[in-house]
Amino acid sequence: MKRTTRYLALSMAAAGLVLGVTAGRAQLVPSLPGMPSLPGGLPSVGRSITSLADPVIDRVEAASRTTARQLAQVRRATFAQLVRDHPNAIALDPMGFPARAGEVVVDAPSDALLAAVGRLGFTVIERDDVLGVGFVRLRVPPGKSLKAALAVLEKLGGEVSADQLHLPSGSGASIGMSAGEGSGARGTMVGVIDGGAEGAALTKGFATGAPRANDHGTAVASLIAGSNGIHGSLPAARIVSADVYGSDPAGGNATAIAKALGWLVEQRVSVATISLVGPTNPLLARVVAAAQKRGLIIVAAVGNNGPAAPPAYPASYPGVIAVTGVDGRGRPLIEAGRASHVDYAAPGADMLASGVGGRRLKVRGTSFAAPLVAGRVAAAYPSLDPGRIHAALAEVDAEAKKIGRKAEEKFIGRGIVCADCRTPAQ
């Protein structure tokens, strides 16, 4: 298995997902080690899980509490495996999240701070500004751990963080093909921050080896613009692909996502979708806020780490449209993660998307709900205009449908958007 394929497979495992093959198509469904599965790939966790066909949500919640511990174990094991496989590229930060090894990020550093850390052996990798948010990436002195480096800079008064990785919140496998300039339809531009999207109208890389198309990014894009018989939520949309993974084992980091947001604003993209999840990060939080002030609406998936997982970011940042998923019967996905708020739900299971080379993939996860909502938001908000945001979201609210089961409705925000956008899996 190639390095990038292995990395993204591990990333899928962090979200509780694996890649299999069913009826000649790639099938992307949740799985947990050592656990038998029910039809559709749902993990069997004791008797209560069999009631998933029953819409009584208290039974689902009981099953969720059981799976939460196992999902946490999967996350920890996957993060540890990432470090073992790429010890020179990935390390765990003090909170246990994977991050770029040997690097820290300081927001708005002063010259005095940089001089002080220089005397301590830190070296500048990069100093940059994204949408008015200044930052510097520093190389940690040899032999100093990431935890120790962060502690030193915090004592000096710096707003410092590890450059944490954000992992896909759905399934996909890396394919070594260049995205390049595509023949995208001449319509509203929608930004996709993910792996590269094949056929994008415009693409740029923010990681080593980028841009290169992979299945996850391509699937997300197909659910917006439609392709190869896949229903899109905004047919004829022009996909603007920001590849934050490429072939970099430490791709998907907060700095790359921040730069991608800055580029999308420069391109006058009005809506961006992000199907990646990670911990909160001060640099990314500031860039998200700066992009929003310029009129960019950001849509993000809540992830698939279960309802007991820590809040997912960027979905949990203020003003970001947080999206969860429902299955073919309109039931909230049991593996869906959580955010500080949930705005909408959309189809996220029992459906197909398009992968690299036009392959039809069976997909499951909140990754694939977010682009459906992003397309609908972009239809109502086709150009950057902060004064139009409220009216545009009111149009989306008007489409959002409740599911008629009050105990479940607390999980779907203002309702299900694009309910008829699912391309059924056969």
Side-chain angles (χ1 to χ4, degrees), residues 71-346:
L71 285 167
Q73 292 171 358
V74 170
R75 288 196 302 274
R76 288 193 295 269
T78 301
F79 294 167
Q81 186 66 49
L82 284 171
V83 174
R84 286 194 294 270
D85 286 351
H86 307 286
N88 296 322
I90 302 173
L92 298 183
D93 76 358
M95 295 184 294
F97 289 100
R100 293 190 71 92
E103 295 184 19
V104 292
V105 180
V106 182
D107 293 4
S110 66
D111 290 338
L113 176 65
L114 292 179
V117 298
R119 291 191 292 270
L120 295 173
F122 291 84
T123 56
V124 174
I125 301 170
E126 174 188 25
R127 191 171 187 177
D128 204 351
D129 177 290
V130 178
L131 301 178
V133 179
F135 69 94
V136 63
R137 291 168 55 213
L138 296 174
R139 178 81 63 196
V140 174
K144 188 177 291 292
S145 70
L146 195 56
K147 180 178 181 179
L150 291 168
V152 167
L153 289 165
E154 287 170 354
K155 288 181 180 179
L156 291 173
E159 182 69 56
V160 62
S161 65
D163 198 355
Q164 294 120 333
L165 309 189
H166 290 61
L167 305 180
S169 60
S171 309
S174 177
I175 302 293
M177 297 178 65
S178 174
E181 289 287 336
S183 58
R186 304 299 298 178
T188 299
M189 294 192 297
V190 183
V192 173
I193 298 178
D194 206 290
E198 189 173 79
L202 182 64
T203 188
K204 185 173 181 178
F206 297 90
T208 302
R212 60 188 297 174
N214 69 34
D215 279 340
H216 194 271
T218 301
V220 166
S222 75
L223 293 168
I224 300 170
S227 66
N228 302 313
I230 302 301
H231 300 314
S233 59
L234 184 57
R238 298 173 61 210
I239 300 299
V240 182
S241 171
D243 181 1
V244 295
Y245 283 103
S247 58
D248 190 347
N253 53 77
T255 302
I257 298 171
K259 291 179 179 179
L261 285 168
W263 177 67
L264 291 178
V265 171
E266 291 174 358
Q267 301 304 312
R268 304 294 298 172
V269 172
S270 59
V271 177
T273 188
I274 307 176
S275 289
L276 315 172
V277 296
T280 185
N281 178 276
L283 170 64
L284 185 54
R286 288 190 173 96
V287 173
V288 164
Q292 290 169 331
K293 286 181 181 178
R294 288 162 174 78
L296 179 67
I297 296 179
I298 302 169
V299 179
V302 300
N304 306 308
N305 288 327
Y313 292 86
S316 290
Y317 291 127
V320 172
I321 305 300
V323 180
T324 190
V326 295
D327 66 14
R329 297 183 184 182
R331 301 170 302 186
L333 299 184
I334 191 171
E335 72 272 20
R338 67 186 181 97
S340 60
H341 60 280
V342 175
D343 294 287
Y344 303 109

